[in-house]
Amino acid sequence: MEFSKCWLDYSPAEIKEKALFTLAVLCEGSIVESAVKEYDMAIQGMTAVKPEIVKERKPESVVLLLDEFLPVGKDGYEIRREESSYCITGQSESGVLYGVFHFLRVIRTGHLEEFPIQNAPEMPLRIMNHWDNMDGSIERGYSGESFFYKDYEILYNERTEQYVRMMASIGINAIVINNVNVHEKETYLITDTYLEQVKQYSDLFNRYGIKLFTSVNFAAPMELADFDNCDPLNERVAAWWKETAKHIYEVIPDFGGFLVKADSEGRPGPFTYDRTHADGANMLARALKPYGGIVIWRCFVYNCGQDWRDKKTDRARAAYDNFIGLDGQFDENVILQIKNGPMDFQVREPVSPLFGGLKKTNMILEVEIAQEYTGQQIDLCYLLPMWREILDFDTFVRGEGSTVLNIVKGQTHGQKLCGMAAVINTGDDYNWTGNDLAAANTYGYGRLAMNPSLDSESIAKEWTELTFGKAPEKEIVAMLMNSWNTYEKYTSPLGIGWMVTPHYHYGPDVDGYEYDRWGTYHRADRNGLGVDRTPAGTGYTAQYNEPWASVYAEKEKCPEELLLFFHYVGYEEKLKSGKTLIQHIYDTHFEGVEEVEKMITVWKGLQGKIPSDAFDRVSERLERQLANSVEWRDRINTYFYRKSGVLDDKGRKIYE
Ligand code: GCU
């Protein structure tokens, strides 16, 4: 089977230090065994010499230790020099594994002077969500087919192992193995039809400190048994889930729990029975509780049958409106998973106000590594700077410093079950992510969830060095760091979002969603565009704490990159730059394409510094990105020229 090793490619490297060739393992357990295996594989890969693995301390060696009292935090580790040896001490077995991966990273990048290192995962849960279906397809997948499933069978092979190693190396500790939209066959994942095979995955995951979760169908009792309803307050329904959970844990004692998309985009849920999301989530949580399992309940709930004529209903309000009244009603093993923004993973959105609303509920921040709306892994779009902004957003829920990061770290409200989840961008393509450079997002997500204080540029640098070595580092890091901004420039302006080809979500279609039922409107007319979400409009701004409620509600104070998200603005109104809105639209769209052209020039200069297959794959993507950006530029510029009748003041070509 052919697949890239990505950032775990231990290709030959010069290693002189004798200590690195002896590994003294003074602890034990199945995760420790994985750590030893990783070390062994890495040293052999880099030096072609098998390290000696011993069970007692030796001078000049790398020592693995476990010390549950190590004062570093859960699953943390310490790496230090002790005379001519290195000691990697984990607070737990996972700590040992993370310590070994860190040590190997340091060896690979040649920063051996960095010791002592103390580190611990800062978020309790660092989750990957797969949107893989059992027919082998992946919802919003842009890198081939699923490597988990094919024709309704569960696959288990070298690739699965490599995948799990990659996830553990970036600190992932929970994986949801199937799509949130649970179709017919996937409903059976929690039954004997598939449980033994799921257990195989779970055992593999566990050896790398990862818990396995499945997405479940809320209507499972109706589909799998003879129920005529799935009312969460129906005792027979609750009893069915209890039995089901009991059986799951008999087969898979380490099972993590369920992820649920209910009452969302046509999925079943408690609303049908006039019950609340708390009723639904708690019913499942009580079934899992005796075994330590958890329920992750998604907040992506909105009216997807809206009438475009209706200007009062605002999709952006939906998550907050649906969940805020339930604060404090969820059981302690329920976590709400909240998308980063109030709409749906657009290139620019404000942070979901729900983070600053809930106080007595466990919360997880959901982001999308899969580039559904951000270029589908054809266009380059390094998402770390976006996630960084989201994490740093201050909600003011408990005064200054109540950032999203502090909330999902468990600091603001003292919650133990919290963290981050991401829709992953992998598939069975040779390079896993379609565009080789999109792996920077996969890698970066894990690193950020583990150590959210790391800045996006350091992560880009680390990934580039591990993947391609030092030679092309400067150029690739610069390409990555500018790419989100570039993508934003040539697509929809100033936070308005959408304007994409409906359903498919790649390429421009300005009115594609404008008269549709999804609640995604830009409201452009001959005078201007944007959605009034102030108290005079949909009232969405009032869902934020102060000062944001006022800042967003006032056009003059509103951060410009979100201006059209919050306000209707005339084409000839002046922005802070002194430019009119229409001129800003023209300028950014011309600039966006120019930046893609520059990127291509930079990339061409890297020929010879990058393995030729990867070089060619990325070159091909960049050419497609250029064509896409030109299409966006011309459609957007022409559309707004036709609406406004205003000429570009620089006289560039705008089609009529
Ligand atoms: C988006 C995406 C869907 C997905 C949904 C979700 O709407 O386009 O494919 O199912 O998000 O997050 O549930």
Side-chain angles (χ1 to χ4, degrees):
M1 183 177 301
E2 278 287 291
F3 49 80
S4 152
K5 300 272 169 55
C6 292
W7 57 87
L8 292 184
D9 182 13
Y10 297 111
S11 53
E14 208 186 329
I15 293 182
K16 293 196 210 98
E17 244 183 293
K18 197 165 157 244
L20 303 186
F21 292 92
T22 305
L23 185 70
V25 187
L26 307 188
C27 46
E28 53 189 30
S30 61
I31 304 176
V32 169
E33 274 169 36
S34 300
V36 173
K37 204 171 121 193
E38 288 302 320
Y39 190 81
D40 183 50
M41 227 188 293
I43 296 297
Q44 284 200 58
M46 289 188 279
T47 66
V49 176
K50 189 170 165 49
E52 191 191 357
I53 296 167
V54 295
K55 293 248 167 243
E56 72 284 356
R57 249 179 216 272
K58 283 209 167 176
E60 287 197 280
S61 64
V62 174
V63 189
L64 296 190
L65 298 150
L66 205 154
D67 172 6
E68 62 179 295
F69 300 109
L70 188 75
V72 284
K74 188 170 168 354
D75 295 339
Y77 53 88
E78 181 188 74
I79 313 174
R80 64 194 147 75
R81 281 211 77 127
E82 252 177 37
E83 294 165 8
S84 51
S85 292
Y86 293 96
C87 284
I88 305 175
T89 311
Q91 184 270 343
S92 63
E93 279 196 62
S94 289
V96 174
L97 180 66
Y98 297 150
V100 165
F101 276 123
H102 193 143
F103 188 63
L104 291 171
R105 249 185 344 249
V106 171
I107 298 177
R108 287 285 295 156
T109 52
H111 299 297
L112 276 162
E113 72 286 359
E114 278 181 8
F115 305 113
I117 292 170
Q118 279 204 339
N119 194 22
E122 287 175 53
M123 294 186 199
L125 287 162
R126 305 171 301 280
I127 312 175
M128 285 297 192
N129 286 183
H130 279 265
W131 284 3
D132 295 35
N133 300 313
M134 293 196 75
D135 63 1
S137 64
I138 301 176
E139 180 148 340
R140 311 305 175 188
Y142 309 107
S143 9
E145 299 276 281
S146 172
F147 48 78
F148 281 160
Y149 315 103
K150 189 178 169 61
D151 301 333
Y152 305 104
E153 293 297 324
I154 298 184
L155 307 172
Y156 190 102
N157 50 41
E158 281 167 38
R159 186 162 199 142
T160 342
E161 284 178 23
Q162 168 74 13
Y163 160 77
V164 175
R165 296 178 51 226
M166 280 165 32
M167 293 300 104
S169 75
I170 53 173
I172 297 303
N173 67 352
I175 293 174
V176 187
I177 59 166
N178 63 306
N179 188 0
V180 286
N181 296 314
V182 184
H183 307 296
E184 191 193 333
K185 292 273 186 180
E186 291 80 355
T187 306
Y188 288 85
L189 274 171
I190 52 172
T191 70
D192 281 333
T193 314
Y194 293 117
L195 267 183
E196 279 300 330
Q197 285 164 283
V198 173
K199 175 183 162 50
Q200 247 198 319
Y201 273 177
S202 177
D203 289 347
L204 169 66
F205 288 10
N206 277 319
R207 291 200 292 279
Y208 279 86
I210 298 170
K211 287 245 184 218
L212 180 143
F213 287 70
T214 57
S215 296
V216 293
N217 181 347
F218 194 77
M222 296 166 76
E223 294 197 23
L224 301 178
D226 269 346
F227 284 82
D228 59 8
N229 69 68
C230 55
D231 180 349
L233 299 193
N234 175 345
E235 279 173 22
R236 285 184 51 241
V237 169
W240 182 89
W241 279 107
K242 283 197 170 131
E243 269 309 300
T244 303
K246 183 165 168 257
H247 185 58
I248 296 173
Y249 281 92
E250 273 161 13
V251 182
I252 311 175
D254 296 307
F255 185 72
F258 299 149
L259 173 66
V260 193
K261 172 175 178 177
D263 290 314
S264 168
E265 300 185 325
R267 305 306 304 156
F271 280 172
T272 314
Y273 311 99
D274 264 342
R275 311 298 186 202
T276 69
H277 284 275
D279 294 330
N282 292 344
M283 183 267 297
L284 294 176
R286 284 166 202 168
L288 297 173
K289 176 126 204 234
Y291 320 98
I294 57 180
V295 168
I296 305 174
W297 191 270
R298 293 176 85 229
C299 295
F300 186 56
V301 179
Y302 68 99
N303 171 5
C304 62
Q306 205 182 316
D307 184 342
W308 59 270
R309 297 165 190 86
D310 164 15
K311 284 195 165 178
K312 272 290 166 197
T313 308
D314 181 3
R315 171 166 166 180
R317 296 184 55 119
Y320 187 96
D321 285 344
N322 278 307
F323 286 91
I324 196 70
L326 301 175
D327 194 18
Q329 292 182 28
F330 292 94
D331 283 9
E332 58 180 17
N333 61 330
V334 175
I335 317 178
L336 294 189
Q337 182 163 309
I338 308 168
K339 284 196 183 184
N340 64 265
M343 297 299 271
D344 192 11
F345 302 134
Q346 300 303 292
V347 68
R348 175 77 69 174
E349 287 185 42
V351 167
S352 170
L354 203 45
F355 287 108
L358 298 170
K359 293 194 178 101
K360 292 173 280 184
T361 304
N362 299 320
M363 279 174 268
I364 281 176
L365 163 66
E366 177 179 326
V367 297
E368 195 183 40
I369 313 176
Q371 289 172 239
E372 175 178 0
Y373 295 96
T374 50
Q376 304 203 346
Q377 290 143 240
I378 298 166
D379 301 28
L380 185 63
C381 192
Y382 179 57
L383 295 164
L384 273 281
M386 181 205 286
W387 300 335
R388 171 83 274 140
E389 280 187 22
I390 294 159
L391 288 169
D392 289 342
F393 178 79
D394 199 339
T395 66
F396 290 93
V397 58
R398 291 194 193 270
E400 210 169 321
S402 313
T403 57
V404 172
L405 172 58
N406 287 337
I407 292 169
V408 298
K409 255 167 64 168
Q411 194 171 305
T412 305
H413 307 299
Q415 284 144 1
K416 291 203 175 54
L417 287 179
C418 44
M420 253 177 117
V423 182
I424 196 169
N425 61 348
T426 50
D428 71 355
D429 275 0
Y430 170 80
N431 64 3
W432 301 82
T433 51
N435 188 333
D436 290 62
L437 301 185
N441 285 327
T442 328
Y443 180 86
Y445 162 71
R447 296 289 287 122
L448 190 71
M450 178 103 169
N451 289 128
S453 48
L454 288 175
D455 67 90
S456 315
E457 191 164 346
S458 320
I459 296 176
K461 216 169 143 201
E462 190 178 282
W463 173 80
T464 308
E465 274 192 46
L466 292 172
T467 309
F468 296 118
K470 282 199 175 42
E473 181 196 297
K474 212 170 114 248
E475 289 83 355
I476 292 183
V477 170
M479 280 173 72
L480 290 171
M481 288 305 290
N482 295 330
S483 57
W484 173 40
N485 202 247
T486 300
Y487 187 81
E488 185 177 23
K489 280 187 178 173
Y490 62 78
T491 54
S492 68
L494 300 176
I496 192 71
W498 307 97
M499 300 191 178
V500 287
T501 314
H503 314 301
Y504 183 49
H505 300 167
Y506 186 76
D509 185 347
V510 183
D511 282 338
Y513 274 122
E514 191 58 14
Y515 304 100
D516 214 331
R517 63 183 173 97
W518 301 93
T520 48
Y521 314 115
H522 56 67
R523 309 278 186 211
D525 58 24
R526 64 180 182 160
N527 301 314
L529 84 148
V531 180
D532 184 356
R533 293 191 157 104
T534 70
T538 72
Y540 166 78
T541 53
Q543 294 185 340
Y544 288 92
N545 299 315
E546 289 297 352
W548 291 116
S550 312
V551 167
Y552 289 145
E554 274 183 56
K555 229 185 219 180
E556 295 66 36
K557 288 193 187 151
C558 181
E560 200 151 273
E561 67 277 9
L562 289 168
L563 192 60
L564 300 176
F565 189 92
F566 286 108
H567 298 274
Y568 174 86
V569 182
Y571 294 121
E572 306 218 51
E573 273 185 57
K574 286 253 166 63
L575 304 183
K576 287 179 190 129
S577 59
K579 285 181 193 176
T580 59
L581 170 63
I582 188 74
Q583 195 55 44
H584 173 89
I585 293 177
Y586 295 151
D587 285 353
T588 46
H589 284 78
F590 282 109
E591 281 164 27
V593 175
E594 284 158 20
E595 289 173 17
V596 177
E597 283 164 346
K598 280 197 199 116
M599 235 171 2
I600 293 180
T601 312
V602 171
W603 185 254
K604 282 192 175 143
L606 293 178
Q607 192 157 21
K609 291 189 182 171
I610 293 200
S612 65
D613 58 335
F615 179 83
D616 292 345
R617 282 192 299 266
V618 174
S619 303
E620 180 259 354
R621 301 267 152 170
L622 285 169
E623 290 303 329
R624 286 165 73 188
Q625 175 169 11
L626 180 61
N628 187 40
S629 66
V630 167
E631 194 60 23
W632 269 99
R633 177 195 66 195
D634 291 343
R635 290 246 208 147
I636 295 279
N637 285 349
T638 296
Y639 182 94
F640 288 107
Y641 171 66
R642 287 181 184 169
K643 282 258 151 142
S644 68
V646 181
L647 290 167
D648 170 34
D649 67 12
K650 299 194 178 73
R652 290 161 295 194
K653 176 76 186 166
I654 293 181
Y655 296 84
E656 296 197 340

